[in-house]
Every structure is written in C-alpha cells, then in structure tokens.
Amino acid sequence: MVQIGGGMSYAACRMTPPSPAFLKTVIDRLPALNGQPWLPLPGGRTNRLWRVGQAVIKAYDPAAASPLFPNSPAAEARALALLGPLGLAPGLIAAGDGWLAYSHVAGRVWQADPAPVARMLARLHQQRPPGFRPVASGSAALLAQAQAIAAACRTRLPPAPPDPGIPPVPGPCLIHADAVAGNLIDGPGGVTLIDWQCPASGDPTEDLATFLSPAMQWLYRGSVLTAQETGAFLAAYPDPAVTARYLRLRPLYRWRMAAHCLWKADRGAPDYAQAAAAELAP
C-alpha cells in the first residue's frame, strides 16, 4: 500500500468522502443524484472516483500528471463524447470544472484472457478524430522522450537501447495512452476502456506497449503476463504490421516505462521502484 503525505495510505485517501462544496457543485448540475449515496470506487492511481446511482463522478487531481501520463478533464470529456456511443468508453453525462460524470460500466476489472483486449484496441485504433494531442512517434522521438524522463530521475537506469531507426507512424490514430489492466472493464458487452484523461493521436503500438508492460501489469494486476499470454494478445490483434512494429520498438518502450516508474518512485510511490525492476527484467 502506497504511503502519501501525513502518513495516510493512498487507498485511505481515495476512500475519503467528497467535500460538501464538491457534492453541492455536482448535485446542482445533476439534481437527479440528490439523496443517493456516494460510494468510493477503487481503481486508478491518479484521480478520485465515486459511484452515485448509475453515474460515476470523477474528481481530478491536477498534481497527479506525469511526463508520460497527462491528466486532462477536457480531453477525457471529448473522448467519452466521441467513443461512448461506440461502446469503446463510458458515455459522458456531464463535465464541470475539474470533474466529470459518466455512465457506470457494468463488469469487473480485467484479469485474464488478453485476446478480447487486443480486439478492442484494434477497434479503437480505427478511429482518427482530429484535435487530440500528438505524442512521440518513431524510435528517435521515443528515445528522446525516454531520456528526458530518465534525466529527471535520481536513480540511474542502465544504458538506453540503441535507436533502431524506425520512422514515425505514417497515419496516427486515436490511442488511449494509458491502457493498463486497471482501466479495462470486462463486462457483458465486452471490454471497455475507462480513465480517458490522457488520450492522444499517435502510434497504435503505444497502447500495445502499455498493456503488455510488465511494470503496469504488476502494478494493476499483481503479476506480469506470461509469454503465452503475450503471444495470445499479439496473435489476436488483427494487424500484423502493427504487432511487428511493436516488437521492434519494444526495447525502447520498456526502457521508457522503467524511467517513468523511477520518476514516480522518486516522488513518493515506492511500489513503482519494484515495477521498474519488473520492466527491466530480461
């Protein structure tokens, strides 16, 4: 359990009730929720969530953004409005200053069988709406981004892998950019992505790398994927050109993720140091 300021655990902080002022702000906007209990939801490590009836209320922590994972309420609201009708995200109900409400997705946090995740990501990667932030694409840009994150870490990483000379993706698509196990709800209608606070226009291999990341699997699921599970995921993704590109970029993605984990560990999240070790393991 992560310890944060004042000795309070991360989990305990997330379980605190909403402030009266925040509750009033939401109820004034959504009066149908008046009188319903606010049930804290576990899950992500960035913002606070409550279930209120059939809605989820999300309050953003502006200080929780990292160099790799931004935290934008406006970007999430736009993604939900576009993708909710497609079943790729929850439906947007309302958005306010530093908060939003979206429809509750029935199901459980994903734990096993990576094939449906691969197929869902492939559906997402067919979307190309304009207006989302561009992210690093191509091996040179990935390496430069990773080195910048590593330079901000107190702990030194092993040398970066060599640049394989892979150009930027020719046709950027919409990516979730935080497709970790904790952001995947496995329900009756299939797998749905939640926590859209850092969507982007970029390389589909970014989502593959985040989902397959040993560090992220360990943090959110408690264990890394086996070689068989990784193979099943890659076999289920229907575009072999994307999976081949991912395999060539994988050493850079893993080194960048290790740098991100050490950046987090330096700032008071000690479990990320263990996650970095998982990412750097052979």
Side-chain angles (χ1 to χ4, degrees), residues 36-52:
Q36 300 196 52
W38 286 53
L39 306 175
L41 292 174
R45 294 166 167 260
T46 304
N47 303 300
R48 296 177 65 197
L49 299 161
W50 298 268
R51 181 175 177 184
V52 187

Side-chain angles (χ1 to χ4, degrees), residues 26 35 38 60 63 88 93 95 102 110 113 115 167 180 185 240 247 279:
V26 175
W38 286 53
Y60 292 80
L88 292 166
I93 297 173
Y102 59 81
W110 178 87
D113 189 2
V180 298
I185 303 300
L247 291 172
E279 196 70 36

Side-chain angles (χ1 to χ4, degrees), residues 48-68:
R48 296 177 65 197
L49 299 161
W50 298 268
R51 181 175 177 184
V52 187
Q54 291 304 307
V56 172
I57 309 300
K58 183 172 186 175
Y60 292 80
D61 178 1
S66 73
L68 191 55

Side-chain angles (χ1 to χ4, degrees), residues 83 108 128 134 140 150 154 156 163 196 218 224 253 264 271:
L83 300 173
R108 56 187 298 177
R128 286 171 168 77
R154 292 195 298 268
R156 297 191 63 180
D163 182 350
W196 283 86
W218 181 83
V224 304
Y253 277 127
K264 292 280 289 184
D271 54 344

Side-chain angles (χ1 to χ4, degrees), residues 80-177:
L80 299 192
L82 287 169
L83 300 173
L86 303 179
L88 292 166
L92 179 67
I93 297 173
D97 184 13
W99 66 274
L100 59 76
Y102 59 81
S103 56
H104 178 259
V105 179
R108 56 187 298 177
V109 175
W110 178 87
Q111 287 291 313
D113 189 2
V117 178
R119 291 191 289 267
M120 179 274 299
L121 288 175
R123 286 184 58 218
L124 170 64
H125 298 156
Q126 294 172 5
Q127 311 301 315
R128 286 171 168 77
F132 288 95
R133 67 186 177 100
V135 290
S137 178
S139 56
L142 285 175
L143 182 57
Q145 182 187 33
Q147 289 171 329
I149 297 171
C153 298
R154 292 195 298 268
T155 306
R156 297 191 63 180
L157 277 82
D163 182 350
I166 299 173
V169 67
C173 65
L174 180 60
I175 60 173
H176 182 276

Side-chain angles (χ1 to χ4, degrees), residues 1-278:
M1 185 177 291
V2 179
Q3 295 296 314
I4 58 179
M8 183 184 292
S9 73
Y10 173 87
C13 176
R14 287 181 55 82
M15 293 299 111
T16 55
S19 70
F22 179 64
L23 192 151
K24 182 178 185 305
T25 295
V26 175
I27 297 302
D28 285 349
R29 181 72 177 277
L30 299 170
L33 302 184
N34 190 28
Q36 300 196 52
W38 286 53
L39 306 175
L41 292 174
R45 294 166 167 260
T46 304
N47 303 300
R48 296 177 65 197
L49 299 161
W50 298 268
R51 181 175 177 184
V52 187
Q54 291 304 307
V56 172
I57 309 300
K58 183 172 186 175
Y60 292 80
D61 178 1
S66 73
L68 191 55
F69 298 107
N71 192 28
S72 170
E76 178 153 20
R78 183 162 184 265
L80 299 192
L82 287 169
L83 300 173
L86 303 179
L88 292 166
L92 179 67
I93 297 173
D97 184 13
W99 66 274
L100 59 76
Y102 59 81
S103 56
H104 178 259
V105 179
R108 56 187 298 177
V109 175
W110 178 87
Q111 287 291 313
D113 189 2
V117 178
R119 291 191 289 267
M120 179 274 299
L121 288 175
R123 286 184 58 218
L124 170 64
H125 298 156
Q126 294 172 5
Q127 311 301 315
R128 286 171 168 77
F132 288 95
R133 67 186 177 100
V135 290
S137 178
S139 56
L142 285 175
L143 182 57
Q145 182 187 33
Q147 289 171 329
I149 297 171
C153 298
R154 292 195 298 268
T155 306
R156 297 191 63 180
L157 277 82
D163 182 350
I166 299 173
V169 67
C173 65
L174 180 60
I175 60 173
H176 182 276
D178 190 15
V180 298
N183 290 340
L184 296 161
I185 303 300
D186 191 1
V191 179
T192 303
L193 274 163
I194 61 171
D195 282 356
W196 283 86
Q197 62 259 13
C198 55
S201 175
D203 189 334
T205 64
E206 182 101 12
D207 281 340
L208 275 60
T210 303
F211 175 76
L212 294 172
S213 159
M216 295 297 104
Q217 286 286 339
W218 181 83
L219 283 167
Y220 287 93
R221 197 174 66 114
S223 61
V224 304
L225 295 172
T226 65
Q228 291 76 16
E229 288 171 326
T230 297
F233 174 88
L234 295 174
Y237 192 90
D239 189 338
V242 172
T243 56
R245 179 180 171 90
Y246 159 72
L247 291 172
R248 294 183 65 197
L249 289 167
R250 179 165 58 182
L252 283 178
Y253 277 127
R254 291 190 62 176
W255 197 83
R256 187 186 66 170
M257 187 63 80
H260 163 75
C261 290
L262 292 178
W263 187 94
K264 292 280 289 184
D266 285 348
R267 288 154 180 80
D271 54 344
Y272 276 84
Q274 294 175 262

